[in-house]
Amino acid sequence: MYIESKLVEVNETLFSEDLSEEKDQNIIKDEINITAYSWLKAKSKIQFSKGLFIVETFFENDKNLTDIFSIGGEYIQISYLGKGDSQLVSLKERKPIEMGRINCCYNSNTVTTIEMPANKPTHYQAIYLSKKYYLELLKNEAWLADSSFYKNIIQSDFQKWGACKFPIDYSLYHILNEITKSDWNSDFKKYYLDLRLKELFLSLHFCQQELCSGVVQGISEENLEKIRTAHAYLIENFKNPPTIKVLARKVLLNELQLKKDFKKMYGKTIRSFIIELRMKKAKSLLGKHTVSEMAGILGYKSVPHFINTFKKCYGYTPKQGLNQ
């Protein structure tokens, strides 16, 4: 498998790796920064080994930017656009890359043109596995017998980008961040990473089963998609959440309909969901930051308010949690 990202307007290669060659047994890591242009900042963190490529990239561009993304060989792709308004461009159509969706695909030897409009920062995370790596990784997983995506790969039935997509949820968001951001101990990085990848594919399998269960009773199919978009947007922005009014505009629903359908679909109000996300993140920060730092990271302006919310959720304060 070969993978390359080339930025057309500045004639710069962001990354270019041949993943068919033998690599070091541990994951190789690199960070690329493009800062030589007044109108463009590009930062990319890549991790790779034979048959595996993981990337997280940020773009800030004051002019339109085009990325030619080339992949050689058969590959499985898991990608997520957390921020931006990018589009896939072909001779036949322009297809928006939907923010807040995890896209899965199985394809071979592709060259993709991605356009990113000016003044709209972009953040994406993606994982690429060769077919051989994927099959070896999951060969002993019992749930594969029920996975249509796995069956497509076994039968070499290509699933193009956009054919298999899921709204992000907190579990997927957390796993994806663990894979793309964490710096494991070098002696065990590959082992832990493979465990996380298995967890990611299992979670995606559960998502596929849930989507196949049909439309939630009392919510139209059109509104269902909008509520999922709102849910995904909150997961990405829970530290600095939008008002109901702003969120309603983003998903093109009136505020009353958004609040009613969100509660019907997820069993909680939007405000309760934001608090839940913040508290889950708070628990993961225990021992890594001071209480004051935790409050700031999670968007709380008042430390006492953060402490009271934490205690209401877990029955103990953050400080008490450190001693448990």
Coordinates of all heavy atoms in Angstrom, one line a residue, residues 2 36 50 67 93 107 144 146 188 194 196 198 204 208-209 220 247 271 276 310 322:
Y2 N 0.5 2.2 -0.8 CA 1.2 3.5 -0.9 C 0.2 4.6 -0.7 O -0.9 4.6 -1.1 CB 1.8 3.6 -2.3 CG 2.4 5.0 -2.6 CD1 3.7 5.3 -2.1 CD2 1.7 5.9 -3.3 CE1 4.2 6.6 -2.4 CE2 2.2 7.2 -3.6 CZ 3.5 7.5 -3.1 OH 4.0 8.7 -3.4
A36 N 5.5 28.1 5.6 CA 6.3 29.1 4.8 C 5.4 30.0 4.0 O 5.9 30.9 3.4 CB 7.2 28.3 3.9
K50 N 4.1 -1.3 8.4 CA 3.8 -2.0 7.2 C 2.3 -2.2 7.2 O 1.7 -2.9 8.0 CB 4.5 -3.3 7.1 CG 4.3 -4.0 5.8 CD 5.1 -5.3 5.7 CE 4.8 -6.0 4.4 NZ 5.6 -7.3 4.2
D67 N -6.2 19.3 -2.2 CA -5.4 18.2 -1.8 C -5.6 17.0 -2.7 O -6.7 16.6 -2.9 CB -5.7 17.8 -0.4 CG -4.8 16.8 0.2 OD1 -3.9 16.3 -0.5 OD2 -5.0 16.5 1.4
E93 N -19.1 14.9 -10.4 CA -19.9 15.6 -9.4 C -18.9 16.2 -8.3 O -17.7 15.9 -8.3 CB -20.8 14.6 -8.7 CG -20.1 13.4 -8.0 CD -21.0 12.4 -7.3 OE1 -22.2 12.8 -7.1 OE2 -20.5 11.3 -7.0
N107 N -11.4 0.0 -1.0 CA -11.2 0.4 -2.4 C -9.8 0.0 -2.8 O -9.0 -0.6 -2.0 CB -11.5 1.9 -2.6 CG -12.1 2.2 -4.0 OD1 -11.9 1.5 -4.9 ND2 -13.0 3.2 -4.0
L144 N -17.4 -11.1 13.4 CA -17.2 -10.9 11.9 C -18.2 -11.6 11.1 O -18.6 -11.2 10.0 CB -15.8 -11.3 11.5 CG -14.6 -10.4 11.8 CD1 -13.3 -11.0 11.4 CD2 -14.8 -9.0 11.2
D146 N -21.2 -11.7 11.3 CA -22.4 -10.9 11.1 C -22.1 -9.5 10.5 O -23.0 -8.7 10.3 CB -23.1 -10.6 12.5 CG -23.6 -11.9 13.1 OD1 -24.1 -12.8 12.4 OD2 -23.5 -12.0 14.4
F188 N 5.2 -1.1 23.8 CA 3.9 -1.8 23.7 C 3.0 -1.1 22.7 O 1.8 -1.4 22.6 CB 3.3 -1.9 25.1 CG 4.1 -2.7 26.0 CD1 4.9 -2.0 27.0 CD2 4.1 -4.1 26.0 CE1 5.6 -2.7 27.9 CE2 4.8 -4.8 26.9 CZ 5.6 -4.1 27.9
D194 N -3.3 -2.1 18.1 CA -4.1 -3.1 17.5 C -5.4 -3.4 18.3 O -6.4 -3.6 17.7 CB -3.3 -4.4 17.3 CG -2.4 -4.3 16.1 OD1 -2.5 -3.4 15.3 OD2 -1.5 -5.3 15.9
R196 N -6.9 -1.2 20.1 CA -7.8 -0.1 19.9 C -8.5 -0.2 18.5 O -9.7 0.2 18.3 CB -7.1 1.2 20.0 CG -6.8 1.7 21.4 CD -8.1 1.9 22.1 NE -8.1 2.8 23.2 CZ -9.1 2.9 24.1 NH1 -10.2 2.3 24.0 NH2 -9.0 3.8 25.1
K198 N -9.2 -2.9 16.9 CA -10.2 -4.0 17.0 C -11.5 -3.4 17.7 O -12.6 -3.6 17.2 CB -9.7 -5.1 17.8 CG -8.7 -6.0 17.1 CD -8.2 -7.1 18.1 CE -7.1 -7.9 17.4 NZ -6.7 -9.0 18.3
L204 N -17.9 0.2 15.2 CA -18.5 0.5 13.9 C -19.6 -0.6 13.5 O -20.6 -0.3 12.9 CB -17.5 0.6 12.8 CG -16.6 1.9 12.9 CD1 -15.4 1.8 12.0 CD2 -17.3 3.1 12.7
Q208 N -23.5 0.1 12.6 CA -24.2 -0.4 11.4 C -25.5 -1.1 11.8 O -26.5 -1.0 11.1 CB -23.2 -1.3 10.6 CG -23.8 -1.7 9.2 CD -22.8 -2.4 8.4 OE1 -22.0 -3.2 8.9 NE2 -22.8 -2.2 7.1
Q209 N -25.4 -2.0 12.8 CA -26.6 -2.7 13.2 C -27.7 -1.7 13.7 O -28.9 -1.9 13.4 CB -26.3 -3.7 14.3 CG -25.4 -4.9 13.9 CD -25.2 -5.9 15.0 OE1 -24.9 -5.5 16.1 NE2 -25.2 -7.1 14.7
S220 N -39.3 11.9 11.4 CA -39.2 11.6 10.0 C -37.7 11.3 9.7 O -36.8 11.6 10.4 CB -39.6 12.9 9.2 OG -38.7 13.9 9.4
L247 N -27.3 26.0 17.1 CA -27.3 24.6 16.7 C -28.5 24.3 15.7 O -28.3 23.6 14.7 CB -27.4 23.7 17.9 CG -27.3 22.2 17.7 CD1 -26.0 21.8 17.0 CD2 -27.5 21.4 19.0
R271 N -29.0 19.9 26.9 CA -28.1 20.4 28.0 C -27.6 19.2 28.8 O -26.4 19.2 29.2 CB -29.0 21.3 28.9 CG -28.2 21.9 30.1 CD -29.1 22.8 30.9 NE -28.3 23.4 32.0 CZ -28.2 22.8 33.2 NH1 -28.8 21.6 33.4 NH2 -27.5 23.3 34.2
E276 N -23.1 15.4 30.3 CA -22.7 14.1 30.3 C -21.3 13.9 29.5 O -20.4 13.3 30.0 CB -23.7 13.2 29.6 CG -23.3 11.7 29.5 CD -24.3 10.9 28.7 OE1 -25.4 10.7 29.2 OE2 -24.0 10.5 27.6
F310 N -19.5 17.8 38.8 CA -18.8 16.6 38.9 C -19.4 15.7 40.1 O -19.6 14.5 39.9 CB -17.3 16.8 39.1 CG -16.5 15.6 39.0 CD1 -15.8 15.3 37.8 CD2 -16.3 14.7 40.0 CE1 -15.0 14.2 37.6 CE2 -15.5 13.6 39.9 CZ -14.9 13.3 38.7
L322 N -9.4 11.4 43.0 CA -8.0 11.1 42.9 C -7.5 10.2 44.0 O -6.5 9.4 43.8 CB -7.1 12.4 43.0 CG -7.2 13.4 41.8 CD1 -6.5 14.7 42.1 CD2 -6.5 12.7 40.6

